[in-house]
Amino acid sequence: MTPFTYALAPDAAGALRHAEGGASAKYLGGGTNLVDLMRETIERPEMLIDVTALSHSIAARGDGGVLIGAAARNSALADDRTIRRDFPVLARAILAGASGQIRNMATVGGNILQRTRCTYFYDDATRCNKRAPGEGCDALDGFNRIHAILGATPACVATHPSDMAVALAALDAIVHLEGPEGARTIKLVDLHRLPGGRPDIETELRPHELIVAVELPPLPFARRSAYRKVRDRSSYAFALVSVAAALDVEDGTVRDVRLALGGVAHKPWRAWKAEAALRGQPATEASFRAAAEAELADATPLRDNGFKIELARRTITAVLGELAGESA
């Protein structure tokens, strides 16, 4: 591990002061991803700025929304009564991720900003454009069973690992930021980037910007929501395909829907085409299947992961069917 200095920031302003004074600084929350990458010498910050003193609050608002402090632990968020009642998709997504020990350490802000990665990213004997821009991507012709089928480019086919972020994408979450230029907000669906030609640039964050909170806007029908994760083993595994969904059905017709996918792209994938195809349609298996097919029409499989297309279709159809059954 490369030597580094450490600073404990009392608040966001203190964190920004430390960051502006450090040539190569990283914010440290739970450290469940960053410290791992530092051990592998993939990340080499000269300074770690501990931001665990940021807000841990999970505050329900009068309009039905929730404001979540960036330093809230994943386990606390999944266990929060308001989240479990009003946004169960989020609680279920968090519980599907990693292990209990990691959820107890991981913070909301850190989970959102974990690196998009695959096994080739960790292996310095292979070519990886995320690790060394312009070097190439050995996953393209390598073992690529877990890799992307949507939004990928020849520069990178890795998939975003977060379960929580998939649920947040479905819930129209808003990320609150503080930076040298002041405060701003960005939609979670716009925070992460597709790889393009620079997969090493993973987010739209500006230099030294810091996540201070995540906002869940009011969404009454999110009480009827679910998260399903399909993976190779029952715990501590990234998704092959995951689905976060909320469904509003009235008189057998889909009035509104939110849908996002994990395990299929370089970022949490909001299924806009499927949502548009479903609104106003009968809440039937045929409609759900047609919506899934619309979303996956542009999917591009690699040698080993073509099965993900049908797996995603079936998982979307099954989750929406489950929610429609609850509304009957």
Side-chain angles (χ1 to χ4, degrees), residues 114-243:
Q114 64 181 295
R115 297 291 305 269
T116 301
R117 56 201 189 273
C118 74
T119 53
Y120 293 93
F121 176 64
Y122 284 100
D123 185 355
D124 61 8
T126 66
R127 296 178 304 153
C128 174
N129 287 315
K130 295 179 73 63
R131 196 177 60 241
E135 188 176 64
C137 174
D138 277 347
L140 289 173
D141 297 315
F143 183 64
N144 45 42
R145 182 173 179 275
I146 67 169
H147 290 73
I149 56 173
L150 291 167
T153 67
C156 185
V157 291
T159 57
H160 195 275
S162 175
D163 294 286
M164 183 186 76
V166 178
L168 292 175
L171 293 171
D172 299 316
I174 299 167
V175 180
H176 291 243
L177 304 168
E178 294 279 356
E181 300 174 12
R184 71 179 179 114
T185 60
I186 186 170
K187 295 179 181 179
L188 188 283
V189 293
D190 296 327
L191 177 66
H192 300 96
R193 293 164 49 107
L194 290 174
R198 287 296 305 272
D200 56 308
I201 304 174
E202 296 178 355
T203 73
E204 298 294 345
L205 290 181
R206 298 167 185 166
H208 305 313
E209 272 193 321
L210 172 66
I211 295 178
V212 294
V214 176
E215 176 186 348
L216 299 179
L219 187 67
F221 71 89
R223 287 195 172 196
R224 184 177 295 114
S225 61
Y227 184 78
R228 184 174 298 187
K229 179 178 183 178
V230 183
R231 47 190 162 175
D232 283 326
R233 58 182 186 271
S234 61
S235 67
Y236 206 65
F238 292 157
L240 294 170
V241 169
S242 66
V243 173

Side-chain angles (χ1 to χ4, degrees), residues 33-316:
N33 181 221
L34 176 58
V35 173
D36 182 35
L37 295 177
M38 289 173 65
R39 290 194 190 103
E40 300 292 332
T41 67
I42 295 170
E43 293 279 7
R44 301 179 180 89
E46 296 173 359
M47 171 182 277
L48 288 184
I49 304 167
D50 190 326
V51 293
T52 53
L54 294 178
S55 174
H56 292 241
S57 174
I58 304 168
R61 303 187 312 191
D63 64 358
V66 177
L67 189 66
I68 305 160
R73 303 292 179 176
N74 285 13
S75 54
L77 185 59
D79 195 47
D80 183 82
R81 181 174 299 180
T82 299
I83 297 298
R84 291 169 63 186
R85 181 192 65 211
D86 295 345
F87 304 95
V89 62
L90 179 55
R92 294 175 188 176
I94 293 170
L95 293 174
S99 65
Q101 294 93 332
I102 289 178
R103 292 194 297 268
N104 285 338
M105 285 294 296
T107 62
V108 169
N111 184 291
I112 291 171
L113 292 181
Q114 64 181 295
R115 297 291 305 269
T116 301
R117 56 201 189 273
C118 74
T119 53
Y120 293 93
F121 176 64
Y122 284 100
D123 185 355
D124 61 8
T126 66
R127 296 178 304 153
C128 174
N129 287 315
K130 295 179 73 63
R131 196 177 60 241
E135 188 176 64
C137 174
D138 277 347
L140 289 173
D141 297 315
F143 183 64
N144 45 42
R145 182 173 179 275
I146 67 169
H147 290 73
I149 56 173
L150 291 167
T153 67
C156 185
V157 291
T159 57
H160 195 275
S162 175
D163 294 286
M164 183 186 76
V166 178
L168 292 175
L171 293 171
D172 299 316
I174 299 167
V175 180
H176 291 243
L177 304 168
E178 294 279 356
E181 300 174 12
R184 71 179 179 114
T185 60
I186 186 170
K187 295 179 181 179
L188 188 283
V189 293
D190 296 327
L191 177 66
H192 300 96
R193 293 164 49 107
L194 290 174
R198 287 296 305 272
D200 56 308
I201 304 174
E202 296 178 355
T203 73
E204 298 294 345
L205 290 181
R206 298 167 185 166
H208 305 313
E209 272 193 321
L210 172 66
I211 295 178
V212 294
V214 176
E215 176 186 348
L216 299 179
L219 187 67
F221 71 89
R223 287 195 172 196
R224 184 177 295 114
S225 61
Y227 184 78
R228 184 174 298 187
K229 179 178 183 178
V230 183
R231 47 190 162 175
D232 283 326
R233 58 182 186 271
S234 61
S235 67
Y236 206 65
F238 292 157
L240 294 170
V241 169
S242 66
V243 173
L247 188 65
D248 183 13
V249 176
E250 184 176 36
D251 296 329
T253 299
V254 176
R255 186 163 59 180
D256 207 351
V257 61
R258 298 290 186 276
L259 190 65
L261 309 179
V264 297
H266 200 259
K267 60 181 283 185
W269 186 268
R270 182 68 179 264
W272 301 109
K273 293 178 182 178
E275 290 180 7
L278 274 174
R279 292 187 181 99
Q281 297 301 308
T284 63
E285 181 177 346
S287 294
F288 301 150
R289 177 83 181 187
E293 289 175 349
E295 189 62 46
L296 294 160
D298 295 328
T300 304
L302 300 166
R303 183 192 62 211
D304 301 321
N305 70 354
F307 72 95
K308 279 193 175 189
I309 298 175
E310 182 60 21
L311 181 60
R313 288 193 192 107
R314 294 187 183 196
T315 307
I316 292 168

